[in-house]
Structures are given as structure tokens and as C-alpha cells.
Amino acid sequence: MAVALVTGTSSGIGLATAVTLARGGHTVIATMRNPDSAEELQKIVTAEKLPVTMATLNVDDDSSVESAFAKVLAQHGRLDVLVNNAGIGGGGSVEESSTARFREVMETNFFGALRCIKAVVPGMRQRRQGCIVNVTSIAGRMALAPAAAYSASKFALEALSECLAQEMKAFNVRVAVVEPGVIATPIFSKAAPVADDSPYPHYRRQRALFAQSLTKPTSPYVVGDKIREIVDSDSWQLRYPVGPDAAPFLQWRASKTDEEVINFGAASDADYILTVKREFGLDVNL
């Protein structure tokens, strides 16, 4: 069984992944910025007596990453699996989102994963064994307004993962990219309110699309199950769209020209509603 570290485990996909890997017999280090916020995870771990240790890790901070990984290596002697899940949302038009906000999203979603990767790659390379799973999003393959900050960070992590996979295969270290669709996690409840005076309609449209998608919610454990499947396998597949809508959304994007997607973003509310119904089978209320 593997020793696995998962980032961002206080809720959502990270929590589900930590629990699912531990239920599969793996030793899990479940990390988060504030372990006091992990009441749900703690209850599950205690009730099921799972092999999970909770640890403080702020992926935005160099010293926090160095300290956390040093403790894991000191205690376990190795780290077989890294799941980069920690992330934050980043909705809002380019004009209305501050440069500081773009930096904040990129710091966590991209540089946070990079810090953790750089902490484990030397050991995995030397042992010629390991698995790195980077949780991105379908937004890392299709950029739809108003998610420029979020999509940019996920596109960047996709590119990093593709390069890393090429570098590490010769050392028998697997790299996988998990691309969830719309998953029922707290990231949606943490989103900022839509500004009433915004000249851009995209934020309220996106909210309406997500709200309709979440009427039939997909559990984060669907993603956790896929990550466990990857860890337990010997597959060298790079990308894994996850969730019932992930592959259809990506297929939709692949079927459209860039100009058609741009026109979709520029459509009137009435045309947007009709298009979403026709293309995705969703009845959105604006």
C-alpha cells in the first residue's frame, strides 16, 4: 500500500479523496491550511478507524511546504503518491477582477501545486517509483467567460503536468491529470456575489448554468474514486475527465471553432438560454 499526501482536504474533492484512498488501505496524510476546519473528515476517520493523519500545509507558502514534506519523509521514509487538489475559485470578468486576484488564484492553483511537485520529484526520481495526480478542471481545457483567472491557472497546471509527464516517465513516475466537471463542492457557496451594476452578463449566466447542473449533483466521491483507481492502476494515461458532464462539455468545445465559442459568449440572454438548452439540455433561468 502507498503513502499518499493529499492537499486541500478540509472539504469537497480533497476530503473525498483522502477518505477513499484510506478506505482502500493506503496511508494518507490529509493536509489543509487549518486542521481545525476538518471536523467532517475527523469524524469519518475516527468512526472508520482509517489510516489518515491530518497535517497543516499552506501550499502558498514555501516554508510551510518544506516543513510539511520534511515531516512526512521523516515519519514514513518515502512518499509514493501526491494528489495536488488544493485550489480556489476565480470568477469575474477580466476588467472587474484585480491583478491581485489573478495573482491569488495563480498562487494557489498553479504555484501551490508546483511547490508540492518540486518537493516530491527528487525522491520519486531517485526511487524510480511514484504517482503525481494533479486535479485541474474541464476549465483547464475550455475557457469560458467569466472564469479567466481560474481557467488560466488550470490551463497552466495542465501544461505543467504534460511537461512533467514527459520528464518523469523515464524514471517510472506516473503523472495524471484529473479534470472534474461540475461537482457538488463548497467552492460554489464561496463564490463572490454578482455585482448588480456589472456591464458583463457572463457571471450571472455562469451561476445559472452551475445552479441548473447542480440540481442533479455529482458527489466529490466520484472524483475520489477515480483518483483511487489511478493510484491503484499501472496506467500511463495522462488525462481523465471525471463526472457525467465532463466529457460532454469537452466534446462540445472540441466541436466548436474559436469564433463560435466567442459568439456564444457575446450572445443575448435569450440566445444564450436557447443555446444552453439545445447544446447541453439545461433550462437556465436568468
Side-chain angles (χ1 to χ4, degrees), residues 88-107 109-110 137-157 200 202-203 206 210:
I88 58 176
S93 69
V94 173
E95 178 185 352
E96 295 167 309
S97 300
S98 68
T99 302
R101 179 57 174 161
F102 272 83
R103 290 184 186 277
E104 179 185 15
V105 174
M106 190 65 74
E107 192 66 61
N109 295 0
F110 175 73
S137 168
I138 57 171
R141 300 271 301 281
M142 52 187 290
L144 294 180
Y150 185 75
S151 280
S153 70
K154 295 300 187 178
F155 264 73
L157 186 53
Y200 300 98
H202 307 94
Y203 206 0
Q206 183 189 64
F210 286 158

Side-chain angles (χ1 to χ4, degrees), residues 166-227:
Q166 296 170 51
E167 295 167 1
M168 299 309 296
K169 184 164 186 181
F171 301 102
N172 197 42
V173 175
R174 294 186 296 131
V175 177
V177 181
V178 170
E179 302 164 332
V182 181
I183 307 294
T185 75
I187 195 170
F188 296 105
S189 62
K190 295 176 182 177
V194 180
D196 292 333
D197 59 348
S198 174
Y200 300 98
H202 307 94
Y203 206 0
R204 57 185 172 79
R205 290 178 182 177
Q206 183 189 64
R207 288 287 184 87
L209 181 65
F210 286 158
Q212 188 60 30
S213 295
L214 290 168
T215 58
K216 296 179 180 178
T218 299
S219 168
Y221 280 89
V222 170
V223 186
D225 288 341
K226 176 56 68 175
I227 292 173

Side-chain angles (χ1 to χ4, degrees), residues 2-241:
V3 177
L5 185 145
V6 185
T7 67
T9 60
S10 60
S11 64
I13 291 171
L15 184 155
T17 300
V19 169
T20 303
L21 287 175
R23 285 173 175 165
H26 300 293
T27 298
V28 177
I29 299 91
T31 71
M32 64 214 74
R33 296 190 191 203
N34 179 17
D36 291 337
S37 66
E39 294 180 2
E40 181 182 354
L41 177 59
Q42 185 62 67
K43 287 179 181 178
I44 296 171
V45 169
T46 301
E48 300 184 27
K49 297 181 172 58
L50 296 176
V52 175
T53 301
M54 278 172 273
T56 301
L57 172 59
N58 179 0
V59 299
D60 293 358
D61 183 79
D62 288 342
S63 61
S64 178
V65 171
E66 291 170 6
S67 174
F69 282 87
K71 289 178 181 177
V72 171
L73 293 176
Q75 182 175 358
H76 298 280
R78 72 185 199 280
L79 187 61
D80 304 305
V81 176
L82 167 65
V83 180
N84 277 313
N85 164 76
I88 58 176
S93 69
V94 173
E95 178 185 352
E96 295 167 309
S97 300
S98 68
T99 302
R101 179 57 174 161
F102 272 83
R103 290 184 186 277
E104 179 185 15
V105 174
M106 190 65 74
E107 192 66 61
T108 298
N109 295 0
F110 175 73
F111 286 108
L114 176 61
R115 287 185 181 92
C116 295
I117 288 168
K118 292 178 75 65
V120 303
V121 159
M124 289 182 175
R125 174 179 54 76
Q126 291 165 9
R127 294 196 322 277
R128 302 182 69 85
Q129 183 179 11
C131 179
I132 297 170
V133 180
N134 293 327
V135 180
T136 62
S137 168
I138 57 171
R141 300 271 301 281
M142 52 187 290
L144 294 180
Y150 185 75
S151 280
S153 70
K154 295 300 187 178
F155 264 73
L157 186 53
E158 289 264 346
L160 170 65
S161 302
E162 192 164 325
C163 289
L164 183 67
Q166 296 170 51
E167 295 167 1
M168 299 309 296
K169 184 164 186 181
F171 301 102
N172 197 42
V173 175
R174 294 186 296 131
V175 177
V177 181
V178 170
E179 302 164 332
V182 181
I183 307 294
T185 75
I187 195 170
F188 296 105
S189 62
K190 295 176 182 177
V194 180
D196 292 333
D197 59 348
S198 174
Y200 300 98
H202 307 94
Y203 206 0
R204 57 185 172 79
R205 290 178 182 177
Q206 183 189 64
R207 288 287 184 87
L209 181 65
F210 286 158
Q212 188 60 30
S213 295
L214 290 168
T215 58
K216 296 179 180 178
T218 299
S219 168
Y221 280 89
V222 170
V223 186
D225 288 341
K226 176 56 68 175
I227 292 173
R228 176 184 167 184
E229 178 185 316
I230 293 167
V231 170
D232 289 345
S233 76
D234 57 2
S235 173
W236 290 91
Q237 180 175 327
L238 178 62
R239 290 185 167 91
Y240 297 83

